[in-house]
Amino acid sequence: RLTAGATTATVRRDLACLSSLYSRAEEWEWVTFNPVKPYKRGRAKAGLKEGNPRERYWSEAEELAALPVAPAKAKDAICFAIDTGLRKEEQFSLLVSDIDFGAKELTVRAEVSKNGKPRTVPLLDRALAIALRLSSGRIGAVPLFVTGDGRRYSPESPTMYEALQKACRRAGLAHTSWHDLRRTCGCRLLQVYGKSMEEVSAW
């Protein structure tokens, strides 16, 4: 797999999947043992040592540098991600009908939530202003974030990711993944808004 060009992270995920399959086969008595487990224990010798956990998040200074040079649509999406902490698919699956403007909160529907459970997320002032502007004249089960022709961004669309990288390059910032914006939200809630870990976890 490595010779074919796969990254070590991809190989680790492949092995985890294969190990899970073998464990289930073991439960069903189709096989007598899981051969992947001893291999995984020796994966450091195989050049598959676990990487350090990613801890990247934006400082306020980085945000101030990136936003002015981000494409307009991406700027709204980046700000919304930082202020809500939504995962990428949760954000781009968000419907206007999912937002309670009076209560200043949105609902992540069960079908798009990672754990399959709905949750309510408060809307900070900036996120609320973005939602109000983007939803102007639109009601019901229509996407909040849409492409130039009014469609929702597909899960495979690289548009927003590429726009984020463009903003980082223009601002001279290190590479940023979309998930780093979610991490930024958590840090801001703790450091700026004084939320507790329990509150941030529920958010």
Side-chain angles (χ1 to χ4, degrees), residues 29 88 98 100 137 179:
E29 298 181 353
K88 186 178 180 183
D98 294 329
D100 185 333
H179 196 79

Side-chain angles (χ1 to χ4, degrees), residues 46-91:
L48 296 174
K49 186 176 180 180
E50 294 286 350
N52 294 324
R54 187 173 174 88
E55 297 178 351
R56 173 92 170 103
Y57 63 92
W58 274 5
S59 66
E60 291 187 74
E62 288 178 306
E63 181 182 345
L64 289 172
L67 291 181
V69 294
K73 281 181 175 289
K75 180 179 178 180
D76 281 340
I78 291 168
C79 290
F80 200 84
I82 290 174
D83 287 358
T84 62
L86 296 183
R87 296 179 176 89
K88 186 178 180 183
E89 178 59 14
E90 292 173 346
Q91 179 168 335

Side-chain angles (χ1 to χ4, degrees), residues 64-167:
L64 289 172
L67 291 181
V69 294
K73 281 181 175 289
K75 180 179 178 180
D76 281 340
I78 291 168
C79 290
F80 200 84
I82 290 174
D83 287 358
T84 62
L86 296 183
R87 296 179 176 89
K88 186 178 180 183
E89 178 59 14
E90 292 173 346
Q91 179 168 335
F92 294 108
S93 295
L94 187 67
L95 305 175
V96 172
S97 55
D98 294 329
I99 303 171
D100 185 333
F101 292 99
K104 297 183 179 180
E105 62 185 24
L106 62 83
T107 297
V108 177
R109 302 186 311 281
E111 61 265 29
V112 297
S113 174
K114 186 176 181 180
N115 63 6
K117 297 179 181 179
R119 75 178 189 281
T120 300
V121 176
L123 286 171
L124 299 176
D125 288 344
R126 181 173 64 171
L128 179 62
I130 291 171
L132 282 166
R133 177 163 43 81
L134 295 183
S135 64
S136 178
R138 298 189 298 139
I139 59 173
V142 294
L144 181 67
F145 293 92
V146 294
T147 63
D149 59 1
R151 300 180 183 180
R152 72 144 284 178
Y153 292 92
S154 72
E156 296 80 23
S157 172
T159 302
M160 285 298 176
Y161 174 80
E162 291 174 355
L164 176 61
Q165 303 318 310
K166 183 181 292 185

Side-chain angles (χ1 to χ4, degrees), residues 175-196:
H175 172 273
T176 300
S177 73
W178 200 267
H179 196 79
D180 292 337
L181 303 179
R182 173 175 165 82
R183 193 176 292 111
T184 299
C185 177
C187 291
R188 295 279 175 84
L189 293 175
L190 290 168
Q191 299 167 0
V192 178
Y193 292 91
K195 301 289 185 183
S196 67

